[in-house]
Amino acid sequence: MPIRIPNDLPAFKTLLRENIFVMESDRASGQDIRPLKIGIVNLMPTKIETETQLLRLLSNTPLQVDITLIYTETHLPKNTAWDHLHNFYTTFDKVKEQYFDGIFITGAPVEKLEFEEVNYWKELCGIMEWTKSHAFCTVHICWGAFAGLYYHYGIPKKPLSKKMFGVFPHKVNAVNHPLLKGFDDVFFVPHSRYTEVDTADIEIVPELKVLAYSDEAGAYIVSDISNRRIFITGHAEYDRDTLKNEYLRDKEKGLEIEVPKNYFPHDDPSLPPLITWHGHASLMYSNWLNFCVYQETPFDLTDLESL
């Protein structure tokens, strides 16, 4: 939450330049408060696991957040019971006239397909186009990030020679950016993917900036200059055992898979994995809600059309 100080206090301008969460007294006294309206377009087959991970992080705030879970009509998941979808999810067609403070577009296990080969690609393109006028800020995660960078900016994804799999150190590339406020110089994030985007392809787009990166895993957080489109290539939301379960699943399928890096103590899968990323995950999501959404989104969401 913001600190409330007089706008003529000398510290006000200094703190504002540093992106410290301050609010002038005049604005605070007349501020209207309402719940934030957040939609999650869940493309993962394991929908319950993914929604739980995201909701856990979105709840780490004093702000009231209303959640709408959305699934694609053109692809019905095989690993989620219909009763769960029917009771807790809705389709894009039913919410497309609504406005949202924020939208999440998750990853999906379709990385090895060309975007146009994904059976719900046309529907997803419609959703991404809709977010331009009906969502104040959209966060794209993993494959969702690659899809968003491709759709909005024409940036292609590229196959990796082997799966990017493990927990990797990352560095902040944008000091004092609201999303990264409070981050350490080095922080850890899980990755699990077969593709990447070339940082050079991002850097030639003037509207985009790489906010955080890994020497091994590449660009991690990319944002447009308005902070209204954010692309995250890793999985800060992962639980302790998520990478372990993926590793065991791939082993059972007979796939060629290495032990996830920097995850099991001594790289021994028989030992319980260590969590080294939850602190920064929690901080990033609370920063997003507080700084990128709550302080910037219009009170009347129908004003989004004019932004």
Side-chain angles (χ1 to χ4, degrees):
M1 298 297 284
I3 57 172
R4 175 178 170 179
I5 59 177
N7 56 349
D8 55 352
L9 189 71
F12 183 86
K13 291 183 179 179
T14 301
L15 294 175
L16 203 62
R17 283 197 301 270
E18 296 174 5
N19 285 318
I20 301 299
F21 201 20
V22 295
M23 182 181 293
E24 63 269 28
S25 298
D26 292 343
R27 180 182 176 191
S29 62
Q31 189 182 40
D32 289 319
I33 304 295
R34 61 163 175 77
L36 293 177
K37 189 174 180 181
I38 305 297
I40 299 175
V41 181
N42 192 350
L43 304 176
M44 289 294 288
T46 53
K47 294 199 181 320
I48 295 175
E49 180 182 5
T50 300
E51 73 202 30
T52 302
Q53 292 171 351
L54 290 174
L55 293 178
R56 182 183 295 117
L57 290 167
L58 290 171
S59 68
N60 187 39
T61 173
L63 303 173
Q64 184 177 339
V65 181
D66 290 348
I67 298 293
T68 300
L69 298 171
I70 303 166
Y71 73 95
T72 54
E73 286 185 283
T74 44
H75 178 77
L76 291 178
K78 299 177 182 178
N79 299 306
T80 303
W82 168 248
D83 285 349
H84 184 77
L85 292 177
H86 178 74
N87 291 331
F88 301 111
Y89 278 73
T90 187
T91 61
F92 170 62
D93 190 60
K94 293 180 180 178
V95 300
K96 65 183 181 182
E97 302 302 325
Q98 300 179 27
Y99 297 85
F100 290 80
D101 296 289
I103 291 287
F104 283 87
I105 298 175
T106 75
V110 291
E111 296 173 89
K112 295 182 179 181
L113 297 175
E114 296 298 327
F115 291 118
E116 291 80 5
E117 293 175 351
V118 176
N119 60 2
Y120 52 81
W121 177 247
K122 183 177 180 180
E123 181 180 3
L124 182 59
C125 288
I127 293 172
M128 290 190 288
E129 185 66 25
W130 166 85
T131 62
K132 293 180 181 180
S133 57
H134 285 70
F136 182 76
C137 184
T138 303
V139 177
H140 312 69
I141 300 173
C142 198
W143 181 83
F146 299 148
L149 287 168
Y150 178 71
Y151 176 77
H152 291 294
Y153 303 101
I155 297 175
K157 63 181 174 70
K158 298 180 179 180
L160 293 166
S161 58
K162 62 179 180 179
K163 189 175 186 179
M164 185 69 65
F165 195 40
V167 182
F168 301 94
H170 293 67
K171 300 174 184 177
V172 172
N173 196 45
V175 178
N176 289 332
H177 189 278
L179 191 63
L180 304 181
K181 189 177 299 298
F183 270 46
D184 296 325
D185 291 336
V186 176
F187 60 98
F188 289 83
V189 181
H191 287 260
S192 177
R193 49 185 168 83
Y194 289 95
T195 56
E196 66 176 353
V197 287
D198 194 324
T199 301
D201 290 339
I202 298 170
E203 290 176 341
I204 62 174
V205 180
E207 297 92 343
L208 296 177
K209 180 175 178 60
V210 177
L211 305 183
Y213 69 97
S214 165
D215 290 334
E216 187 168 357
Y220 168 51
I221 304 175
V222 180
S223 175
D224 74 344
I225 55 177
S226 69
N227 297 326
R228 292 187 60 192
R229 288 188 199 136
I230 296 170
F231 309 90
I232 299 174
T233 65
H235 285 286
E237 77 282 359
Y238 269 8
D239 292 329
R240 180 191 300 273
D241 291 333
T242 306
L243 288 180
K244 175 183 177 180
N245 294 337
E246 290 185 10
Y247 171 72
L248 295 176
R249 178 200 64 198
D250 288 353
K251 290 281 287 184
E252 290 175 2
K253 290 181 177 180
L255 300 178
E256 187 175 333
I257 185 67
E258 296 180 357
V259 173
K261 288 188 176 182
N262 310 315
Y263 180 58
F264 295 110
H266 312 297
D267 291 331
D268 184 350
S270 68
L271 297 176
L274 297 175
I275 296 179
T276 57
W277 62 91
H278 273 187
H280 286 87
S282 179
L283 183 58
M284 181 176 69
Y285 276 79
S286 61
N287 281 348
W288 178 75
L289 281 170
N290 290 333
F291 301 126
C292 298
V293 178
Y294 173 73
Q295 277 301 296
E296 302 296 335
T297 190
F299 181 79
D300 184 351
L301 283 173
T302 59
D303 290 343
L304 288 173
E305 294 264 18
S306 63
L307 291 180

